[in-house]
Amino acid sequence: MDLGIIGQAAGLFAVTNIDDILILALFFAQGASRRGSTRQIVLGQYLGFAAILAVAVAAAFGATFLPESAIPYLGLLPLALGLKAAWQAWKDHRVGDGDEEAERARAGGPGPLEVAAVTFANGGDNIGVYVPVFATAGVGGMTVYAAVFLVLVAVWCFAGKFFATRPVIAKALARWGHVLLPLVLIAIGLLILIEGGAFGL
């Protein structure tokens, strides 16, 4: 196995997924009170990234599951999830300080499909970068890239969980995570829509 390709794959993954660590930290903080949330978030991250890989590999082989013009509209997924999270945070706030923690504990963290949707939508730019790299790497190189990417998804999940459980960060996320998560998701959604020129933006 060529160490050069492994290094290139690791570098490519890092630069195209650096923002995912923040999102994962927010997800882990949101699910801190729910048993099994770590497993669900990791599962969702893998589902979303596997979908990104599948589309990129198919496109590299010439199939087009998603026309290029449709990719910017993936921004609607994190935008919708951000608005839903904002609505939930507003409802929790109206419940009152005494019941807010209990309400948030019942709500728990995001489900695997929510995490997968955000990961996939946020990976629209990844697909654009991966396709030409995969197309020139050949089947063997593509396999190495995919294997390295899938290992690094676990590393990214660990890093997100690590940041979410550091005392200072955990305290800040526990206090402001319910506000930050909707803002980050809405910002990502708008950024994807605007940068891709969706709706003539």
Side-chain angles (χ1 to χ4, degrees):
M1 195 176 280
D2 189 350
L3 290 178
I5 295 181
I6 294 173
Q8 288 167 18
L12 184 62
F13 182 90
V15 297
T16 54
N17 292 285
I18 196 72
D19 52 342
D20 278 0
I21 291 180
L22 171 63
I23 298 166
L24 282 166
L26 289 167
F27 281 151
F28 283 121
Q30 190 185 36
S33 61
R34 192 180 74 191
R35 199 171 175 180
S37 67
T38 297
R39 186 171 60 249
Q40 294 209 37
I41 292 165
V42 171
L43 174 63
Q45 185 70 9
Y46 265 102
L47 285 173
F49 197 81
I52 290 169
L53 269 183
V55 172
V57 168
F61 280 121
T64 51
F65 290 134
L66 282 177
E68 198 171 319
S69 59
I71 289 176
Y73 294 95
L74 291 175
L76 292 171
L77 286 170
L79 180 61
L81 290 170
L83 291 171
K84 179 186 169 196
W87 172 252
Q88 186 63 49
W90 182 75
K91 278 192 350 187
D92 290 351
H93 180 70
R94 287 188 62 211
V95 169
D97 292 337
D99 298 327
E100 191 172 344
E101 288 305 315
E103 185 68 27
R104 216 174 280 153
R106 276 196 299 275
L113 292 180
E114 285 179 284
V115 176
V118 171
T119 302
F120 184 72
N122 194 35
D125 56 339
N126 298 34
I127 294 169
V129 174
Y130 297 163
V131 170
V133 173
F134 286 179
T136 56
V139 176
M142 210 184 300
T143 305
V144 174
Y145 272 97
V148 171
F149 285 0
L150 291 172
V151 168
L152 289 176
V153 168
V155 174
W156 249 234
C157 289
F158 175 81
K161 178 82 171 180
F162 176 81
F163 288 124
T165 54
R166 296 309 89 201
V168 174
I169 299 172
K171 190 174 179 184
L173 289 176
R175 185 178 174 102
W176 298 107
H178 66 290
V179 174
L180 281 175
L181 182 64
L183 288 177
V184 168
L185 293 178
I186 290 168
I188 287 170
L190 290 174
L191 193 66
I192 293 168
L193 290 168
I194 292 166
E195 283 191 346
F199 304 114
L201 296 171

